[in-house]
Amino acid sequence: MSKYYWDNKIEYLKNTRWLYYNDDYLEFLIQRVWKIHKPVKIIDYGCGFGYLGLKLLPLLPPGSTYTGIDKGSALMNEAKEIFSQLSYETEFIESDIEDIELERKYDIAVSHAFLLHIVDPKRIVQKMMDSVRDNGMVICFEPHWIGNMANYYLDGIELSKVIQLGVLQKLYEEDMKRTGKSGNIGIQLPVLLSQLGVRNVGCRVSDKVNFLDQNMDTSSKHMLFSALKEEGLGQQTSDDSSEFTNNLMARGLTEAEARKQYEAESTFAKEFDDESWLVYAPNMKISFGTVSIKDS
């Protein structure tokens, strides 16, 4: 088993990424917002198994190319296997993004749910900027965890009983102070991009809303429910409440807050099953802008 965490999460990534975006909205961004009408060379930082390439290449002008970088050897092997069966021009580089230096030859640098795992995202965004040509673009698809948590509806239960927004916001902020990593990076990126000199900065929100509908066909319902559970919705909490609360206290919560969060997650796990009516919007933020070399 690989020592790299994400090398051991390939099936999880494959089973859950589809919860995040609608293809027609991505097509709208490409054609109407970013106005990409000729082939482009894309570099994907922290590409995993090439998910973003699989989403974007069919929507981009023919002749577009995709290069992915990731330090996971299993992820790189999986990406090469997937794309070997497709007609796109691709390249996969196994390397630690913290160390790699790339030639300035790409039209677009992208990241997907990657910068939230980085202690110094500003440094990585600068690398992304340095890898694109003059008037190239940086596009970051990143989460906004507290926005995500506010976008649930579980029919038959008050949201405040399963989602403690105040406690969670404090937890995310304390985690950032402790680790330097921000699960709310998606909402911070427009500021970071502009401060680094990116021009024409904009930010959109994915329009994907997942509806666990008890009137949908059985196979679709099972697939969606399984993906939602694997994504972490309503996961069973530890039977040992003291272990759970002690962990949260070590992350910055008070004992009362930790107990309240344990009760909330336990209630969610108890109430959410394949017979539930649930609406969930991941609320992924998509930040972007133009790199002008003469201004850098």
Side-chain angles (χ1 to χ4, degrees):
M1 182 175 289
S2 172
K3 293 182 180 179
Y4 181 52
Y5 177 82
W6 293 106
D7 267 347
N8 304 308
K9 291 290 184 177
I10 293 175
E11 290 308 308
Y12 156 74
L13 294 172
K14 286 184 174 181
N15 293 340
T16 58
R17 302 302 89 171
W18 65 276
L19 297 171
Y20 294 170
Y21 308 102
N22 289 311
D23 288 345
D24 56 358
Y25 185 64
L26 292 176
E27 185 176 30
F28 166 77
L29 291 175
I30 288 169
Q31 295 185 0
R32 301 292 298 275
V33 179
W34 302 328
K35 303 184 188 308
I36 303 172
H37 302 305
K38 62 181 181 178
V40 289
K41 292 184 177 181
I42 295 182
I43 178 76
D44 185 357
Y45 285 72
C47 67
F49 67 89
Y51 165 77
L52 209 50
L54 292 172
K55 297 296 288 183
L56 296 180
L57 283 170
L59 305 174
L60 288 167
S64 295
T65 68
Y66 175 77
T67 299
I69 315 172
D70 204 294
K71 69 178 182 180
S73 56
L75 286 164
M76 291 291 85
N77 290 335
E78 184 70 19
K80 291 174 183 176
E81 174 61 26
I82 291 171
F83 282 88
S84 70
Q85 302 173 47
L86 303 174
S87 60
Y88 304 110
E89 182 181 337
T90 59
E91 178 185 11
F92 293 96
I93 303 170
E94 184 181 332
S95 178
D96 190 332
I97 291 168
E98 297 280 358
D99 303 324
I100 195 171
E101 297 294 335
L102 293 167
E103 185 181 348
R104 188 187 287 277
K105 65 177 184 179
Y106 301 96
D107 300 299
I108 302 174
V110 300
S111 74
H112 182 268
F114 173 67
L115 296 176
L116 78 158
H117 301 297
I118 300 299
V119 172
D120 187 1
K122 183 176 181 179
R123 179 169 175 264
I124 301 303
V125 171
Q126 185 65 61
K127 280 179 174 278
M128 296 171 71
M129 294 169 59
D130 292 342
S131 67
V132 299
R133 298 165 173 158
D134 190 30
N135 293 318
M137 292 187 70
V138 172
I139 305 174
C140 303
F141 299 74
E142 296 287 340
H144 175 210
W145 278 352
I146 197 62
N148 169 299
M149 299 307 294
N151 277 274
Y152 288 89
Y153 173 67
L154 181 59
D155 191 50
I157 190 166
E158 293 178 353
L159 184 64
S160 60
K161 291 184 177 179
V162 294
I163 304 292
Q164 304 289 328
L165 289 175
V167 170
L168 289 169
Q169 182 66 34
K170 178 181 177 180
L171 187 64
Y172 300 152
E173 290 173 350
E174 291 298 321
D175 280 347
M176 183 178 177
K177 292 175 187 176
R178 191 182 74 258
T179 68
K181 302 175 183 179
S182 174
N184 288 321
I185 187 70
I187 202 69
Q188 300 159 359
L189 273 165
V191 174
L192 190 153
L193 288 171
S194 187
Q195 289 176 344
L196 284 173
V198 176
R199 303 303 183 192
N200 305 314
V201 174
C203 186
R204 296 294 181 110
V205 182
S206 171
D207 71 338
K208 180 76 171 186
V209 179
N210 300 285
F211 177 29
L212 186 63
D213 181 1
Q214 292 307 312
N215 290 319
M216 68 198 308
D217 66 88
T218 302
S219 61
S220 297
K221 185 175 79 166
H222 176 73
M223 184 174 70
L224 177 56
F225 176 73
S226 297
L228 292 169
K229 288 290 285 187
E230 195 163 359
E231 182 71 348
L233 279 70
Q235 284 192 350
Q236 185 64 45
T237 53
S238 170
D239 291 334
D240 186 347
S241 62
S242 60
E243 178 184 3
F244 185 94
T245 54
N246 286 339
N247 175 267
L248 290 181
M249 290 166 64
R251 292 169 59 190
L253 296 188
T254 66
E255 182 176 358
E257 290 168 336
R259 289 182 181 277
K260 194 173 183 181
Q261 184 60 23
Y262 177 79
E263 292 171 2
E265 293 194 29
S266 297
T267 300
F268 201 156
K270 178 181 177 182
E271 296 292 334
F272 181 49
D273 59 30
D274 59 0
E275 297 301 315
S276 297
W277 298 77
L278 177 128
V279 184
Y280 164 58
N283 203 241
M284 293 291 284
K285 300 298 189 295
I286 308 167
S287 300
F288 52 89
T290 305
V291 176
S292 175
I293 295 176
K294 64 181 179 181
D295 292 335
S296 60

